[in-house]
Amino acid sequence: MIVTLPDGSRKEAKAGEHWRDFIVREIGQGLAKSALAVKINDAMKDVSSPVEEGSLVVVTASSPDGLDIIRHSASHIMADAVTQLFPGTKVTIGPAIENGFYYDFDSDHRFTAEDLERIEAKMAEIIKAKQPFARAELSADEAKRRFAELGETYKVEIIQDLGAPVVSLYTHGHFTDLCRGPHLPDTGFVKAHKILSVAGAYWRGDSKNKMLQRIYGTAFADKKSLDDHLHLLEEARERDHRKLGPELDLFTMTEDIGMGLALWTPKGGVIRTVIENFWRREHYRHGYEIVYTPHIGRSRLWETSGHLGFYKGNMYSPMDIDGEDYYVKPMNCPFHIEVYRRRKWSYREFPIRWAELGTVYRYELSGVLNGLKRVRGFTQDDAHIFCRLDQLHDEIARVIDFSLFILRAYDFEQFKVYLSTRPAKDFVGDVAVWDKAEAALDSALKASGLPYQINPGDGAFYGPKIDIAVADAIGREWQLSTIQVDFNLPERFDLTYVGSDNAEHRPIMIHRALMGSLERFFGVLIEHYKGAFPVWLSPVQVAVVPVSEKHLDIAEKLENRLKTHNIRVLVDRRNEKTGYKVREWVVAKTPYIIVVGDKESSLDTVSVRLRSGEQVDMTLAAFEEQLDRENRGGAYF
RNA sequence: GCUAGCGUAGCUCAAUUGGCAGAGCCACCGAUUUGUAAUCGGUAGGUUGCGGGUUCGAGUCCCAUCGCUAGCUCCA
């Protein structure tokens, strides 16, 4: 029996022996010890499973596959611990997930924070005992009988639904679970684990089913990786825009206004003003025109657009105006289309690019609302491009470039791009047009030089789309830009243009948003910058702290001088000690704090305190030059 | 929407088994004239989210409601 290793070497395996023995003999003791599982012909198997012919990859903790196995095994260990500590608990499913694992339990007992600690400790015992994971295969009927005897009704249901004649069970210690595997050689391979939280989850994710208790945990190959991960969680907590936003007085939400509706405070307003001005300036520069449209429209509009058919669940009830139903807009597109429909268009005028910071309202389930990241009222940095099919490639390429330009301005450096293609069924438009559009998106992406991933069948029913996600300062991914081709609305609204052949043709529409929504983008920015906005975005760029009342004159002189540079500068006139005032501006994450006293009477040099806490004396001229640069010339305020 | 947890002054938090709602910061007033992360003293601030109920007595227990937080298939 021939086994091919990743380096291409071919080894002889003895029929009947287990992978562990093979690895010890043919590869080495070291790898045998760190082997968590094997991947034979791309199928994951236990190290204790019999050898097979094919190409072998030994899975260790350093691979994502290995980490998944550690976590999956950890979820079994957790289920073991929970059933030991809380007899009568029914187990359901417990997969490895992106940053850990979970297991869903059905129990009359409500798991508390203290319970989680006990579970974690019990798991440590099981891990210390190095109990081997043993695989057994048996008939589905036999397995059903065994789980039924144990009262594990969910397992019986799962086996039923699987419909497979034979299923596999994994046992460690006295705990047996239905599982596809593979698993670690023994429980001791879980080197670091942590139980994180508990929350409700419906059986099979269906709200009609019973609510189970889902316990989340994570596991790693070593203590340091776990600690790093916990630090990341802590870091995320510190950056949380829901904490920083009100703390830095950037935005607020009130019970009286309603959930999911944000208020931008004056300081947040400064940031938004800069973001919007930058956006407007760059849109004009990039060949867009800006339009403004109202917040409501007659039901007839939304019938034509199809929103009342397929989007009604996200729209608010209509209001009656003179006996007519009007709807608050959940999207801007029908309005831009009406702008288009006001007259005839020639192919010579294409492409047409219309942008709007359009405020929309969408019903979202109360439970999914989340700070600024998921709200019910928000402003999209929306635009619609009307073009011909042959212009699609260039237009998409331009939008991608533009998107990256905008996002890079906010210090996002890493991007992930997703191309979603035609759904298998339930789509509008010709397949041939879809194919051409997808080819255009694909080649535009290739031209951008960005790596991208194709999500087959994930496109909207009306056209393929490109989504761009950024990685923030701590590596979390946020999908911001979306570029969607639309074959549907031009059809529904019977949009036309006159071609060179003097005949009428159907334009293609592109919907796109670069930041997504200003609210969500702001939330992401707060976390990305940890509230320490770069100078051009900072609400207060320079705080001038006079040492005493005697120095108010010189402070105001400095203030006026900086104002001529369009700098947002404030003099702290309060009757407090210097240290007190400095502290407050530091806490507010002000980029520059300048203390002025007797030493600065001439203002030739100023004493500048940087965010780092470093204090530098520099000439006023040099400081102004630096500010101008960092403030992008004050062009956006 | 559903499940669980949580709502005390603008903020951060106290308040024994049900037994007089309190502190610091912030704000305001006064003193102080200050040199790079908190000067001192005083004053004000509350129908304990809102509404019911149990009780001699409710921040505490019960019901309802509003809001916040976590989660609600990444399928054995």
Side-chain angles (χ1 to χ4, degrees):
Chain A
M1 206 181 284
I2 302 298
V3 172
T4 311
L5 302 184
D7 65 3
S9 64
R10 295 157 65 84
K11 307 281 187 188
E12 178 71 26
K14 298 172 190 162
E17 73 174 331
H18 290 177
W19 282 115
R20 190 198 320 277
D21 305 323
F22 171 84
I23 295 166
V24 170
R25 190 182 67 242
E26 299 293 345
I27 307 180
Q29 198 54 250
L31 191 59
K33 267 194 184 139
S34 58
L36 304 182
V38 296
K39 211 170 178 180
I40 180 79
N41 299 328
D42 266 346
M44 303 268 277
K45 292 282 168 63
D46 293 315
V47 175
S48 59
S49 65
V51 293
E52 299 166 61
E53 189 152 299
S55 59
L56 173 78
V57 177
V58 177
V59 177
T60 65
S62 56
S63 72
D65 283 339
L67 209 48
D68 264 11
I69 292 171
I70 288 172
R71 289 166 178 171
H72 189 188
S73 293
S75 91
H76 276 229
I77 294 168
M78 180 168 79
D80 181 10
V82 169
T83 49
Q84 281 190 52
L85 292 168
F86 305 95
T89 300
K90 289 185 190 179
V91 298
T92 67
I93 61 166
I97 55 174
E98 192 172 334
N99 288 309
F101 61 87
Y102 67 78
Y103 210 112
D104 286 347
F105 300 100
D106 182 4
S107 171
D108 293 334
H109 176 77
R110 296 273 155 248
F111 296 117
T112 65
E114 295 82 69
D115 293 338
L116 299 190
E117 283 173 30
R118 287 175 64 204
I119 293 165
E120 193 174 302
K122 179 59 92 178
M123 285 175 72
E125 286 174 28
I126 297 165
I127 288 164
K128 205 174 166 196
K130 296 191 177 178
Q131 299 167 353
F133 280 93
R135 179 187 174 95
E137 293 189 356
L138 67 172
S139 75
D141 286 342
E142 176 61 24
K144 269 192 273 185
R145 252 195 308 281
R146 283 193 41 187
F147 282 114
E149 270 169 34
L150 292 166
E152 296 289 4
T153 51
Y154 293 91
K155 291 293 175 190
V156 175
E157 190 182 326
I158 292 165
I159 297 168
Q160 202 107 32
D161 290 357
L162 276 174
V166 175
V167 298
S168 55
L169 305 186
Y170 276 81
T171 303
H172 70 270
H174 297 291
F175 180 80
T176 298
D177 201 355
L178 173 72
C179 189
R180 181 172 42 197
H183 276 284
L184 301 172
D186 68 61
T187 58
F189 280 78
V190 178
K191 301 296 185 196
H193 73 286
K194 178 91 187 160
I195 300 304
L196 296 170
S197 60
V198 56
Y202 298 106
W203 168 235
R204 304 213 143 155
D206 189 335
S207 57
K208 288 195 278 295
N209 289 336
K210 183 164 184 183
M211 177 72 73
L212 307 171
Q213 295 184 78
R214 173 170 297 179
I215 301 182
Y216 284 88
T218 192
F220 286 89
D222 56 84
K223 183 85 167 59
K224 189 184 174 302
S225 304
L226 173 64
D227 287 344
D228 287 350
H229 182 249
L230 295 177
H231 279 131
L232 189 75
L233 293 181
E234 179 57 29
E235 180 68 29
R237 260 190 293 279
E238 282 173 21
R239 286 170 183 264
D240 194 327
H241 75 285
R242 294 168 304 190
K243 178 164 125 31
L244 283 178
E247 237 170 60
L248 298 173
D249 203 15
L250 301 174
F251 74 90
T252 187
M253 296 196 180
T254 74
E255 208 172 312
D256 280 350
I257 289 177
M259 38 169 46
L261 301 168
L263 296 170
W264 298 65
T265 52
K267 281 190 185 133
V270 168
I271 296 173
R272 176 154 171 171
T273 298
V274 174
I275 291 173
E276 287 187 355
N277 288 346
F278 175 65
W279 183 91
R280 267 188 280 273
R281 168 77 67 83
E282 292 304 330
H283 273 70
Y284 278 125
R285 276 191 186 158
H286 283 78
Y288 287 77
E289 296 167 296
I290 288 175
V291 297
Y292 293 86
T293 68
H295 288 73
I296 59 175
R298 288 171 66 177
S299 58
R300 185 204 289 171
L301 179 76
W302 304 107
E303 273 156 25
T304 306
S305 70
H307 285 90
L308 283 180
F310 64 81
Y311 205 72
K312 197 166 186 184
N314 284 290
M315 291 169 70
Y316 292 101
S317 309
M319 63 192 91
D320 181 294
I321 300 179
D322 291 342
E324 284 277 343
D325 278 351
Y326 282 71
Y327 285 87
V328 176
K329 65 178 174 184
M331 295 187 193
N332 301 302
C333 21
F335 294 83
H336 291 192
I337 286 173
E338 289 303 300
V339 176
Y340 182 95
R341 290 203 323 157
R342 77 190 190 280
R343 69 164 173 89
K344 288 181 89 161
W345 295 90
S346 155
Y347 74 98
R348 297 170 189 275
E349 297 174 280
F350 276 14
I352 294 162
R353 309 186 190 95
W354 289 335
E356 175 180 16
L357 293 167
T359 304
V360 297
Y361 293 86
R362 298 179 184 175
Y363 174 72
E364 302 280 359
L365 290 178
S366 60
V368 306
L369 298 177
N370 181 272
L372 293 178
K373 297 225 181 108
R374 194 87 178 262
V375 287
R376 283 177 172 166
F378 54 97
T379 300
Q380 292 181 299
D381 65 316
D382 210 355
H384 295 93
I385 299 169
F386 300 87
C387 66
R388 295 178 255 121
L389 185 56
D390 63 273
Q391 293 173 317
L392 192 56
H393 171 277
D394 281 0
E395 281 309 300
I396 296 290
R398 289 176 73 127
V399 174
I400 293 169
D401 278 354
F402 192 17
S403 168
L404 297 184
F405 169 79
I406 293 284
L407 298 178
R408 284 191 174 118
Y410 299 97
D411 301 304
F412 292 111
E413 302 295 343
Q414 287 178 52
F415 307 95
K416 265 199 184 165
V417 185
Y418 303 90
L419 169 60
S420 298
T421 58
R422 177 166 51 82
K425 50 175 186 168
D426 296 333
F427 59 88
V428 301
D430 296 340
V431 172
V433 177
W434 272 87
D435 288 345
K436 277 185 195 162
E438 286 175 7
L441 300 201
D442 197 71
S443 69
L445 276 174
K446 283 207 175 72
S448 78
L450 287 172
Y452 62 99
Q453 182 186 317
I454 297 182
N455 293 334
D458 256 14
F461 74 89
Y462 51 78
K465 64 170 180 173
I466 290 171
D467 292 319
I468 302 177
V470 301
D472 73 7
I474 56 172
R476 293 173 303 174
E477 198 177 300
W478 303 103
Q479 197 231 292
L480 298 176
S481 303
T482 182
I483 308 166
Q484 308 182 351
V485 178
D486 189 346
F487 308 127
N488 180 47
L489 288 177
E491 193 76 33
R492 281 178 167 275
F493 282 94
D494 192 25
L495 302 187
T496 58
Y497 66 90
V498 179
S500 57
D501 56 0
N502 197 32
E504 291 203 326
H505 299 273
R506 186 78 73 209
I508 286 179
M509 223 176 134
I510 304 169
H511 309 248
R512 50 109 279 196
L514 307 183
M515 297 178 280
S517 93
L518 292 180
E519 283 75 9
R520 181 177 143 85
F521 189 69
F522 191 31
V524 171
L525 274 193
I526 291 170
E527 300 190 359
H528 180 51
Y529 288 127
K530 206 174 181 176
F533 287 90
V535 169
W536 72 300
L537 291 167
S538 284
V540 177
Q541 298 167 314
V542 180
V544 179
V545 175
V547 171
S548 82
E549 269 172 18
K550 287 184 301 198
H551 310 104
L552 271 176
D553 283 353
I554 190 72
E556 279 162 11
K557 216 170 129 194
L558 177 59
E559 178 189 28
N560 291 329
R561 173 85 178 260
L562 292 177
K563 274 185 172 166
T564 65
H565 289 259
N566 280 324
I567 297 300
R568 296 185 286 275
V569 52
L570 230 77
V571 175
D572 191 338
R573 294 178 169 77
R574 291 177 301 177
N575 178 9
E576 296 288 352
K577 295 182 77 166
T578 309
Y580 177 89
K581 290 191 278 194
V582 166
R583 177 174 192 277
E584 296 227 327
W585 293 108
V586 168
V587 169
K589 305 191 191 254
T590 313
Y592 297 111
I593 302 164
I594 300 185
V595 174
V596 289
D598 291 337
K599 279 184 271 176
E600 285 78 20
S601 52
S602 67
L603 277 186
D604 291 337
T605 62
V606 285
S607 167
V608 183
R609 187 191 169 96
L610 312 178
R611 271 200 180 121
S612 61
E614 197 186 343
Q615 194 184 318
V616 291
D617 289 336
M618 56 200 297
T619 66
L620 181 53
F623 180 57
E624 286 171 320
E625 197 187 318
Q626 181 175 338
L627 271 176
D628 274 334
R629 196 170 55 245
E630 294 178 337
N631 194 31
R632 308 193 178 188
Y636 308 113
F637 188 71

